[in-house]
Amino acid sequence: MPLLPPTLPTAFLSSLRATPNLPHHIWYVLTGVTLCSLNRADKIPGVLKHALETGPGPGPGENGKVSEGVVAARVSAEEQKAMARRMREALIKGVAIGGLPKAINALLALKQGTPSHLQDEPLSYSPTSRPVDIFDVPSSTVLHRGQSFFDRIYGKVSKRVMGQMDRCGTEDLGLTARLMYGYVLSNTSVLSAVESSYILMAGLIPQDVNPQLKGHLKGAINNGATVEEVRAVRDVVIRICEAEGMKKLGADDANGWGWRGDVATL
């Protein structure tokens, strides 16, 4: 396989930003989480840089073809800080899907490429208030919030899904899921419930785990997405994966890197 470029091309990033039906403010966090899951932390700073320069994506009345210069002029310092926080929070939530080591590498790489005035320093203001969850809020309250979030995603099959984890051979799997949903995923201070669903999709698609992806495609609908938005998110993530060398594997590709079948969809 030829060496991949150190950054995603600007034209490619602009095309992601202009994807029809893609929700506002989501293209760059999807890209960051997908790259994290693909273990390409080195490319994430360039994604945020492009987003800070061109804006979060077409909003009401825009068609994705607005002049880059005009868009950039509208990105205030306050909005840039919000965008940087959204990217960091997306990578944190991606831990639930891609694991902690990749998130560590992604966040450290992102810090190197983020201007200091857009960073949140330790022991200062926390946009997520997770320190409060850990130190001041009763654990039962946080776990109940996480269970409610889990139930909303999985709907009528939520008890069955959690029960499968509890009875997998170690009930600690269910415990791990409850902790992750309580303290990480159900926190919607920076990313909303539906945006969190998109982040989960972005972490799952590169890993070729259709059984879990199917649940989260429906979960995004349960969290308020439209079918068109879910399909647009799926399309963006697949395009990023393909740009990084993934492909659908054939019957003879025993040791290839890619998808063993069609990526689940609605």
Side-chain angles (χ1 to χ4, degrees):
M1 179 185 295
L3 291 177
L4 295 169
T7 59
L8 291 173
T10 298
F12 179 69
L13 292 175
S14 296
S15 73
L16 297 179
R17 182 183 181 276
T19 300
N21 298 313
L22 194 69
H24 187 58
H25 245 310
I26 203 69
W27 76 266
Y28 58 97
V29 295
L30 287 180
T31 307
V33 173
T34 304
L35 290 171
C36 179
S37 189
L38 291 167
N39 202 26
R40 292 311 309 261
D42 54 314
K43 295 190 176 184
I44 297 175
V47 175
L48 181 62
K49 180 177 183 294
H50 184 82
L52 295 176
E53 292 173 350
T54 62
E62 296 183 21
N63 61 7
K65 298 182 180 179
V66 181
S67 155
E68 296 290 293
V70 173
V71 175
R74 294 208 302 267
V75 186
S76 66
E78 182 178 357
E79 186 170 29
Q80 285 188 332
K81 188 150 195 173
M83 293 170 69
R85 285 172 171 167
R86 287 169 60 83
M87 179 69 95
R88 290 192 291 268
E89 175 67 355
L91 294 171
I92 289 293
K93 289 197 168 187
V95 168
I97 299 299
L100 191 58
K102 288 180 179 179
I104 291 172
N105 294 338
L107 285 161
L108 290 178
L110 183 64
K111 182 176 182 179
Q112 294 301 314
T114 303
S116 58
H117 68 282
L118 300 181
Q119 299 180 21
D120 293 310
E121 294 302 321
L123 304 179
S124 63
Y125 167 74
S126 170
T128 65
S129 297
R130 280 201 182 89
V132 176
D133 280 350
I134 293 175
F135 298 113
D136 298 327
V137 178
S139 59
S140 59
T141 300
V142 178
L143 293 174
H144 177 74
R145 182 186 72 194
Q147 186 65 54
S148 297
F149 191 78
F150 183 90
D151 291 343
R152 185 163 66 250
I153 286 176
Y154 284 98
K156 62 183 180 181
V157 300
S158 64
K159 290 184 179 179
R160 176 167 62 83
V161 174
M162 186 62 78
Q164 286 176 334
M165 289 189 283
D166 287 336
R167 296 188 296 273
C168 73
T170 170
E171 62 182 354
D172 288 356
L173 179 59
L175 172 63
T176 301
R178 289 178 176 90
L179 289 170
M180 197 68 73
Y181 272 87
Y183 285 93
V184 179
L185 295 176
S186 67
N187 185 311
T188 55
S189 299
V190 174
L191 294 174
S192 69
V194 69
E195 289 170 335
S196 300
S197 284
Y198 299 147
I199 295 310
L200 295 172
M201 290 171 56
L204 289 166
I205 289 173
Q207 297 185 73
D208 192 25
V209 284
N210 268 344
Q212 288 71 36
L213 176 60
K214 289 176 183 177
H216 285 288
L217 293 171
K218 296 176 182 176
I221 298 295
N222 293 341
N223 271 329
T226 66
V227 171
E228 291 76 18
E229 287 170 339
V230 172
R231 289 175 177 167
V233 168
R234 174 185 175 275
D235 176 64
V236 162
V237 176
I238 291 174
R239 286 163 60 196
I240 297 166
C241 291
E242 290 174 340
E244 290 301 299
M246 285 191 73
K247 63 179 182 178
K248 183 178 177 181
L249 301 176
D252 297 329
D253 296 320
N255 299 310
W257 181 54
W259 299 285
R260 295 287 170 184
D262 294 328
V263 178
T265 190
L266 292 176

